[in-house]
């Protein structure tokens, strides 16, 4: 698979089979991803990978919180601006409509939306999950470095025939994740990432992208 195909075929998959991901594949992907760019080579990411029993335990603990109606943990960073302006507001709304309509869930069916969101805590059935932390002393450039690293991971997973789903949603269950991982206090959980083989029976709709002219300006003197 060439790079262009990896980019085009990468998407947030929300339905995985229970087929196990070999440890050597995960090691190969993460070893290569270490070459991602970062300012002054800080490499500000700290990664934990869960499979098998530990991941099953995390899913169970998170599931218990969902069932008990426990409130979310307070976020340690702002996921979206409080007042999301145009065109970002419209793009977010369009994504939500496409996602839930693919599942046959109407805008008014809040309970069904909650059930769909709860699948996050089962990693959508994935047999492997990655959790990405960053030192709380890092600034915006280092957060951007982490984003480039995670994109590299996701593209390498596609090259291995795997899919993924990055999940900032885990930030609101960060205490449950920390119970199993015991990360140092100076780290913030940025996101989780479900990893595995796609379950082709799960309905989905590919989210569109803005036209090139809407996001790119060429300044070439012509």
């Amino acid at each position: 698979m060439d790079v262009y195909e990896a980019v085009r075929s990468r998407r947030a998959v929300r339905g995985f089979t229970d087929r196990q991901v070999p440890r050597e594949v995960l090691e190969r992907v993460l070893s290569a991803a270490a070459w991602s760019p970062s300012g002054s080579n800080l490499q500000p990411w700290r990664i934990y990978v869960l499979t098998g029993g530990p991941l099953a335990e995390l899913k169970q603990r998170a599931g218990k919180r969902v069932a008990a109606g426990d409130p979310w943990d307070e976020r340690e960073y702002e996921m979206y601006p409080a007042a999301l302006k145009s065109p970002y507001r419209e793009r977010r709304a369009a994504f939500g409509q496409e996602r839930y309509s693919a599942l046959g869930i109407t805008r008014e069916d809040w309970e069904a939306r909650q059930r769909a969101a709860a699948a996050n805590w089962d990693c959508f059935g994935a047999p492997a999950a990655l959790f990405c932390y960053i030192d709380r002393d890092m600034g915006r450039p280092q957060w951007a470095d982490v984003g480039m690293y995670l994109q590299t991971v996701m593209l390498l997973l596609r090259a291995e025939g795997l899919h993924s789903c990055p999940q900032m949603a885990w930030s609101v269950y960060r205490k449950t994740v920390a119970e199993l991982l015991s990360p140092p206090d100076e780290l913030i959980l940025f996101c989780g990432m479900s990893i595995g083989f796609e379950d082709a029976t799960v309905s989905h709709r590919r989210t569109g992208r803005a036209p090139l002219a809407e996001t790119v300006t060429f300044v070439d003197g012509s």
Side-chain angles (χ1 to χ4, degrees):
M1 181 183 296
D2 68 18
V3 177
Y4 280 89
E5 178 58 24
V7 171
R8 283 192 293 263
S9 63
R10 187 222 62 81
R11 61 183 179 82
V13 165
R14 294 180 174 85
F16 295 87
T17 70
D18 59 3
R19 178 182 171 188
Q20 297 301 302
V21 179
R23 168 74 175 266
E24 58 268 24
V25 172
L26 294 172
E27 290 183 350
R28 184 163 58 240
V29 165
L30 296 174
S31 293
W35 292 98
S36 299
S38 62
S40 296
N41 197 31
L42 293 186
Q43 304 168 69
W45 46 84
R46 181 71 172 91
I47 306 301
Y48 294 79
V49 180
L50 272 68
T51 58
L55 180 57
E57 177 67 18
L58 175 63
K59 291 179 178 182
Q60 182 182 47
R61 294 190 188 191
K64 286 181 178 178
R65 288 189 62 176
V66 172
D70 284 356
W72 285 352
D73 300 331
E74 184 180 356
R75 288 193 176 101
E76 294 192 284
Y77 65 89
E78 187 177 54
M79 190 176 295
Y80 301 105
L84 199 59
K85 63 184 180 181
S86 183
Y88 315 111
R89 180 178 61 252
E90 290 81 5
R91 291 175 186 167
R92 184 182 182 187
F95 164 75
Q97 181 177 356
E98 290 175 359
R99 163 142 168 71
Y100 291 114
S101 63
L103 297 173
I105 299 173
T106 64
R107 183 181 180 86
E108 296 75 24
D109 194 343
W110 179 247
E111 186 175 324
R113 286 180 171 236
Q114 290 292 90
R115 287 196 302 270
N120 274 286
W121 321 128
D122 186 50
C123 295
F124 304 105
L130 171 157
F131 291 89
C132 179
Y133 286 81
I134 183 171
D135 194 300
R136 62 182 70 251
D137 290 339
M138 294 292 103
R140 291 181 180 179
Q142 289 75 53
W143 283 75
D145 291 341
V146 167
M148 290 189 284
Y149 170 83
L150 293 171
Q151 171 76 336
T152 301
V153 169
M154 290 185 282
L155 296 182
L156 289 167
L157 289 170
R158 288 302 300 125
E160 296 283 354
L162 294 160
H163 275 285
S164 61
C165 182
Q167 299 163 266
M168 288 189 292
W170 276 106
S171 65
V172 299
Y173 273 16
R174 59 183 176 80
K175 293 180 181 179
T176 301
V177 178
E179 288 174 2
L180 273 78
L181 302 183
S182 300
D185 290 341
E186 64 267 22
L187 297 183
I188 291 175
L189 177 60
F190 172 44
C191 71
M193 181 188 294
S194 297
I195 298 170
F197 295 91
E198 181 182 10
D199 182 351
T201 67
V202 176
S203 297
H204 74 275
R205 185 172 298 172
R206 188 68 191 268
T207 306
R209 294 296 186 266
L212 192 67
E214 192 173 311
T215 59
V216 177
T217 300
F218 288 96
V219 185
D220 57 11
S222 59

